[in-house]
Amino acid sequence: MLLDLFFGDAKLKLDLEQHSPIKYFENDTPHKNFMQEFEIRVPYKNIGSQELTILDTWARVYLPDEQYDKLHISARVNDSERLRNDDYFEAMLVPANKGGELVLRFTAIARDCTTDTDVQNLMKECPEFDVAVYAECRGRKEVYIDKEILTVKF
């Protein structure tokens, strides 16, 4: 504790309670009946007294086949100022008492379909599920991993 007072430190705070509504993307691909993309934006802030380095972020969707086997949902995380189309997260510095928005981009794919299944109907039937949002961070101390749980309901 004395070290924190002397040197200060950095601490990431994800504000999952203030996340945006789900935003769906138009899909005009040949696979539009089988795939739907959407995003949720989550505010974050460095609530520490020193600059924070976010080294990496990732998300894990907790929707096992036992809960709902009609969809496969995957996620990737980016900062809203550094959106990418791959699974890579660009490390970034966050000054004390500053923040931004993380963008969780999801892809829902209909499984085991032999006809033009409408993925949006399958999403309406889907139960709520949790998504763990991980952030690997560092201040002046050792690297730590922050994990927060976001519950998604279509």
Side-chain angles (χ1 to χ4, degrees), residues 24-27 29-37 68 70-72 108-126 154:
Y24 296 94
F25 294 101
E26 291 297 320
N27 188 350
T29 69
H31 307 293
K32 65 183 176 185
N33 293 327
F34 299 102
M35 184 177 77
Q36 175 69 61
E37 293 183 304
Y68 192 68
K70 293 178 174 55
L71 290 176
H72 170 74
I109 299 173
R111 289 181 161 168
D112 300 325
C113 297
T114 55
T115 62
D116 285 344
T117 300
D118 185 0
V119 70
Q120 292 175 347
N121 288 335
L122 296 176
M123 291 171 72
K124 289 176 188 171
E125 297 170 8
C126 184
F154 298 117

Side-chain angles (χ1 to χ4, degrees), residues 1-9 49:
M1 180 66 176
L2 184 57
L3 231 83
D4 281 350
L5 293 174
F6 186 73
F7 289 109
D9 203 11
S49 60

Side-chain angles (χ1 to χ4, degrees), residues 131-151:
V131 178
V133 181
Y134 294 87
E136 184 180 48
C137 303
R138 181 174 183 134
R140 289 185 173 233
K141 294 182 180 181
E142 64 276 354
V143 172
Y144 68 92
I145 295 178
D146 185 58
K147 174 185 173 184
E148 301 286 337
I149 300 291
L150 171 69
T151 302

Side-chain angles (χ1 to χ4, degrees), residues 53-58 87-89 91 134-137:
T53 304
I54 301 178
L55 301 166
D56 197 5
T57 63
W58 64 95
D87 287 333
Y88 186 81
F89 180 83
Y134 294 87
E136 184 180 48
C137 303

Side-chain angles (χ1 to χ4, degrees), residues 54-55 78 82-84 88-92:
I54 301 178
L55 301 166
N78 289 130
R82 296 168 182 81
L83 293 176
R84 299 177 60 102
Y88 186 81
F89 180 83
E90 288 185 52
M92 60 186 194

